[in-house]
Amino acid sequence: MRYSAWQILKEGLTGNKGWKPVWREPEPKAEYDIVIIGGGGHGLSTAYYLAKEFGVTNVAVVEKGWLGSGNIGRNTTIIRSNYLLEGNQPFYEHSLKLWEGLEQDFNYNAMVSQRGILNLIHSDPQRDAFARRANAMRLSGADAELLDREGIAKMCPFLDFDNARFPIQGALWQPRGGTVRHDAVAWGYARGADERGVDILQNCEVTGIDIEGGRAVGVQTSRGSIRAKKIAMCVAGSSSRVAAMAGMRLPIESHVLQAFVSEGLKPVIPGVITFGAGHFYVSQSDKGGLVFGGDIDGYNTYAQRGNLPVVEDVCEGGMAIMPMIGRARLLRMWGGIMDMSMDGSPFITKTDTPGLYFNGGWCYGGFKATPASGFCYAHLLAKDEPHEVATAFRLDRFMRGAPIDEKGQGAQPNLH
Amino acid sequence: MLINHPLLGPRDAAEFVVKGDAALIGRPDGMTASPQEMHDYAYLRDNPAGTHRELWYHEQGDRSWLVVTRDTLTHEVLDVALARDVARAEGRSR
């Protein structure tokens, strides 16, 4: 069924009896061309683009829990393409372009809202760094502007411009950045993939990866064994656990990142504001809640919850830069598990085992990458060669001395 | 989380910086190890779900390095030892 205003009107007049489940609940087949492990945002977008762009429809997405139960529903919904390095920025700009056409493309309301993203500047060196970043962004075809204090004050008069420790000197502004309704992204991709014949298998946990003669040939799951010509891992957060089933060790640690939402407020925050110096960023959802977060807790964990010191740190950061939120009450907080890679950049790559592919290492930047990650992974799976904007995301880049060290911090996974 | 420091007693985890897997104590000899060995040491991690031995640095305290054994699924702290003692027991130091 194609969704449209006409459809809503028709269903409204006929008692809403015509709406159908958005995807099927099929039984696993014995064999597929491609099995994607992980029914989160990236796995579902991979399946969608495989079917739609590359004509590969004999595909299963196997998901341990329910569809979209992981990080696609736990992130803070921000989209942007404000990266610096050659290996990264064209990829994220490709992703932002896909976001811009996404709702028309998959005929689903994902509430893509390009309300802009503001990265605050507090010192001359930081302005120089952001000017360089803005130039890199524009070279890749993205939009970027440097704002002065007056420019920011027009948009965000409530900020503490004369903060004693971090006075606001300016900002990097990307008007095309914004937010997206994250659950709808999973649902939209799932519907689009399902319509084209992809089997989405929920409550189907992968318990083993079958390797015969050095080649990956199938997976063992809680719903039986499934053979496949190609197996695509796509389980950021748990990548090390799944890769271990194939005997792989990864350049990844798993960490928890917490997110927070306040009670609903009238519209006060126009776009996304990041206060990197204070480990705080915020946007306001369409429902009115302030959605905010900060840094990872900093210790290895697979528990989807964090600890209180980071809650305090994040709230202090918020109070420092926008004291007006002091009376707002915290409504909910939660944690998601991140693949923290050794250079802060992701992987979309083949592995040493033929037939086995790997997508992961998204650190805490996976949501904005969802469309391009799926697109480029689908390209790799269908053609066995990387998409032109994702050639740098290889597993062997540390061995070759070619890390993509966006922050310039080296092999230190708990910093990114 | 509370870290039961062997010298100072229970301390708030917020006083510490975590450096990751305690296997990092076992650094290969840079003069004889192959590039592959050094790569594996520097970049690859077991990253287990369950019991994990890790290095904690008491930055906001006595600046000792500890080996904390912790469950990464529950955050339960199972054991705390001075990294110095662990390294000596593994023959890393005189």
Side-chain angles (χ1 to χ4, degrees):
Chain A
M1 181 195 296
R2 198 176 159 74
Y3 293 152
S4 63
W6 160 245
Q7 196 68 34
I8 292 171
L9 186 68
K10 187 178 142 208
E11 290 296 333
L13 293 172
T14 55
N16 286 309
K17 292 197 180 84
W19 300 118
K20 299 264 181 347
V22 171
W23 54 81
R24 298 165 293 131
E25 295 278 358
E27 285 302 310
K29 288 195 278 186
E31 184 165 3
Y32 292 91
D33 288 341
I34 296 176
V35 165
I36 297 166
I37 306 174
H42 291 219
L44 294 167
S45 75
T46 302
Y48 173 78
Y49 290 117
L50 266 175
K52 176 164 180 292
E53 301 292 334
F54 301 98
V56 185
T57 55
N58 188 20
V59 174
V61 178
V62 295
E63 164 57 43
K64 175 185 174 182
W66 68 93
L67 190 152
S69 54
N71 291 334
I72 188 68
R74 289 171 180 266
N75 57 73
T76 43
T77 77
I78 295 164
I79 60 169
R80 58 188 172 91
S81 66
N82 54 4
Y83 283 69
L84 173 69
L85 298 181
E86 191 85 335
N88 274 334
Q89 175 58 14
F91 172 82
Y92 288 104
E93 177 54 20
H94 181 55
S95 204
L96 194 52
K97 288 204 173 77
L98 288 172
W99 281 120
E100 287 173 326
L102 183 66
E103 293 167 302
Q104 302 307 319
D105 188 58
F106 68 13
N107 179 232
Y108 202 85
N109 181 10
M111 296 164 68
V112 176
S113 169
Q114 293 180 288
R115 50 185 81 178
I117 180 165
L118 200 61
N119 305 119
L120 297 176
I121 295 169
H122 312 283
S123 65
D124 289 344
Q126 205 183 3
R127 182 186 286 107
D128 290 347
F130 273 137
R132 180 181 173 216
R133 179 177 296 258
N135 287 336
M137 290 163 65
R138 295 174 81 132
L139 280 172
S140 77
D143 58 326
E145 291 170 41
L146 281 183
L147 298 184
D148 56 13
R149 280 165 68 106
E150 289 68 38
I152 303 167
K154 265 188 224 153
M155 255 187 290
C156 304
F158 49 81
L159 294 174
D160 183 11
F161 285 84
D162 297 313
N163 183 286
R165 178 67 184 86
F166 295 114
I168 296 170
Q169 309 283 13
L172 173 61
W173 168 239
Q174 185 178 30
R176 285 165 62 240
T179 59
V180 180
R181 169 85 204 283
H182 53 195
D183 300 308
V185 176
W187 300 332
Y189 275 128
R191 171 171 169 267
D194 179 88
E195 260 175 6
R196 291 169 175 82
V198 172
D199 282 357
I200 296 167
L201 308 170
Q202 302 183 75
N203 300 309
C204 184
E205 179 180 0
V206 169
T207 54
I209 295 174
D210 298 334
I211 296 174
E212 287 172 12
R215 192 182 168 82
V217 294
V219 290
Q220 298 296 324
T221 77
S222 55
R223 293 174 68 179
S225 59
I226 303 172
R227 288 183 73 85
K229 295 192 181 75
K230 292 178 180 174
I231 296 162
M233 294 186 275
C234 200
V235 288
S238 297
S239 290
S240 297
R241 298 170 78 175
V242 174
M245 294 176 194
M248 292 169 66
R249 284 176 84 218
L250 298 175
I252 283 172
E253 289 183 3
S254 295
H255 287 255
V256 65
L257 178 67
Q258 301 192 62
F260 309 84
V261 64
S262 78
E263 59 191 334
L265 305 171
K266 289 181 180 177
V268 283
I269 293 178
V272 182
I273 302 168
T274 76
F275 172 39
H279 308 165
F280 176 80
Y281 65 91
V282 64
S283 64
Q284 188 166 19
S285 77
D286 292 317
K287 249 184 340 190
L290 304 182
V291 182
F292 58 99
D295 274 352
I296 55 175
D297 275 34
Y299 45 82
N300 289 51
T301 176
Y302 285 93
Q304 285 175 316
R305 57 187 166 78
N307 270 290
L308 291 172
V310 168
V311 179
E312 190 178 12
D313 185 52
V314 170
C315 292
E316 280 174 357
M319 281 301 294
I321 207 67
M322 45 179 78
M324 72 164 182
I325 65 172
R327 298 288 291 278
R329 280 167 297 191
L330 194 57
L331 191 65
R332 291 186 293 126
M333 59 202 200
W334 62 94
I337 303 304
M338 316 284 124
D339 270 7
M340 299 304 291
S341 67
M342 289 291 156
D343 56 0
S345 296
F347 304 98
I348 301 176
T349 180
K350 299 178 189 177
T351 69
D352 290 339
T353 309
L356 186 64
Y357 299 76
F358 176 57
N359 175 324
W362 290 99
C363 300
Y364 42 67
F367 178 68
K368 76 179 89 67
T370 305
S373 168
F375 198 99
C376 295
Y377 203 23
H379 186 284
L380 178 69
L381 287 161
K383 301 183 178 231
D384 258 325
E385 58 189 56
H387 188 276
E388 61 178 0
V389 297
T391 54
F393 300 150
R394 293 165 56 138
L395 261 177
D396 64 358
R397 63 178 182 252
F398 300 105
M399 192 62 202
R400 291 183 297 116
I404 317 164
D405 193 0
E406 182 78 24
K407 274 195 176 177
Q409 289 175 321
Q412 187 80 343
N414 61 359
L415 292 181
H416 294 285
Chain B
M1 281 184 286
L2 281 178
I3 304 299
N4 196 13
H5 194 298
L7 305 176
L8 305 175
R11 306 298 308 177
D12 187 342
E15 296 174 3
F16 293 81
V17 174
V18 188
K19 184 67 184 172
D21 197 326
L24 291 171
I25 289 175
R27 185 177 64 207
D29 183 344
M31 301 306 287
T32 58
S34 67
Q36 187 69 47
E37 281 170 335
M38 287 309 287
H39 164 271
D40 293 357
Y41 168 79
Y43 296 110
L44 302 189
R45 299 286 185 272
D46 287 338
N47 195 22
T51 305
H52 189 223
R53 287 170 76 243
E54 46 202 29
L55 289 165
W56 286 58
Y57 174 53
H58 200 192
E59 189 180 41
Q60 307 293 324
D62 71 346
R63 301 193 189 173
S64 57
W65 284 87
L66 305 181
V67 172
V68 176
T69 308
R70 215 170 45 87
D71 191 323
T72 58
L73 290 167
T74 63
H75 296 168
E76 184 187 1
V77 176
L78 304 167
D79 186 53
V80 184
L82 287 174
R84 183 182 59 197
D85 296 343
V86 173
R88 279 183 180 152
E90 290 177 9
R92 292 299 304 179
S93 173
R94 279 171 290 280

